[in-house]
Amino acid sequence: AQSVTQLGSHVSVSEGALVLLRCNYSSSVPPYLFWYVQYPNQGLQLLLKYTTGATLVKGINGFEAEFKKSETSFHLTKPSAHMSDAAEYFCAVSDQGGGFKTIFGAGTRLFVKA
Amino acid sequence: DARVTQTPRHKVTEMGQEVTMRCQPILGHNTVFWYRQTMMQGLELLAYFRNRAPLDDSGMPKDRFSAEMPDATLATLKIQPSEPRDSAVYFCASGLAGGPDTDTQYFGPGTRLTVL
């Protein structure tokens, strides 16, 4: 069975500091892995996803994530936080060939201090 | 650009009333999802459809909730009768299974429901 754990429901960083949002997953088959972002009063939108191939995935707004199979992790990073990055971030997993059944993590709210 | 649309964006109703929420998926997408988001429970999958047929509605309270796709351009979620605990933001999402973009979901802006 799939599951997703996001470590830390809230993360606070200063503007210009490194952003690190942690995600661990479990899946019995090769996974697809996703990060979605939700800004206030909006729906979720895709930041980046891993399907196969290169394990370092680059997304929009300067974010990237690395798939580490041995650690069952897919942590999201950004070298330098911007005020506009303040939002809620969701990690998600689906099984390759599983027909779209996706499990979302509980979300991590990112605060960016001036 | 192509987007998922949802109507209404906001709905305030009284307990016991019927509520219908509508979603227009992105043209050409064959998979449609309904989610509910609350502070306490987070994002919950209620149901999803493939080619208009329900694939999984195990997350939906069957006694009061129903979801349908009358055609490929419209998905509906009904609550009858509504209760205060149904107050939440309801999201529709769509995607195209099987292609290079498979398993990516495109979310609508949500319907914020308040049941008094």
Side-chain angles (χ1 to χ4, degrees), chain A residues 22-82:
Chain A
R22 299 177 188 273
C23 172
N24 288 89
Y25 71 92
S26 69
S27 179
S28 55
V29 299
Y32 293 140
L33 295 160
F34 306 82
W35 277 99
Y36 287 84
V37 62
Q38 185 180 28
Y39 298 104
N41 300 312
Q42 295 186 27
L44 282 69
Q45 64 183 84
L46 183 70
L47 261 184
L48 50 80
K49 71 176 184 181
Y50 167 81
T51 53
T52 57
T55 56
L56 183 62
V57 181
K58 294 186 185 300
I60 62 172
N61 301 338
F63 284 93
E64 61 183 37
E66 187 170 11
F67 169 53
K68 291 188 176 181
K69 185 178 178 180
S70 60
E71 298 177 9
T72 60
S73 68
F74 192 57
H75 301 332
L76 181 71
T77 60
K78 181 174 180 178
S80 177
H82 192 273

Side-chain angles (χ1 to χ4, degrees), chain B residues 64-85:
Chain B
R64 298 183 300 108
F65 284 60
S66 62
E68 296 181 339
M69 282 200 72
D71 62 59
T73 65
L74 177 65
T76 62
L77 179 67
K78 290 186 181 180
I79 308 174
Q80 168 63 15
S82 57
E83 298 181 1
R85 60 181 166 147

Side-chain angles (χ1 to χ4, degrees), chain B residues 48-95:
Chain B
Y48 79 108
F49 294 76
R50 174 75 43 73
N51 297 321
R52 297 175 56 199
L55 279 191
D56 186 347
D57 61 2
S58 58
M60 205 163 63
K62 302 291 192 305
D63 56 338
R64 298 183 300 108
F65 284 60
S66 62
E68 296 181 339
M69 282 200 72
D71 62 59
T73 65
L74 177 65
T76 62
L77 179 67
K78 290 186 181 180
I79 308 174
Q80 168 63 15
S82 57
E83 298 181 1
R85 60 181 166 147
D86 301 329
S87 297
V89 181
Y90 291 81
F91 288 104
C92 175
S94 71

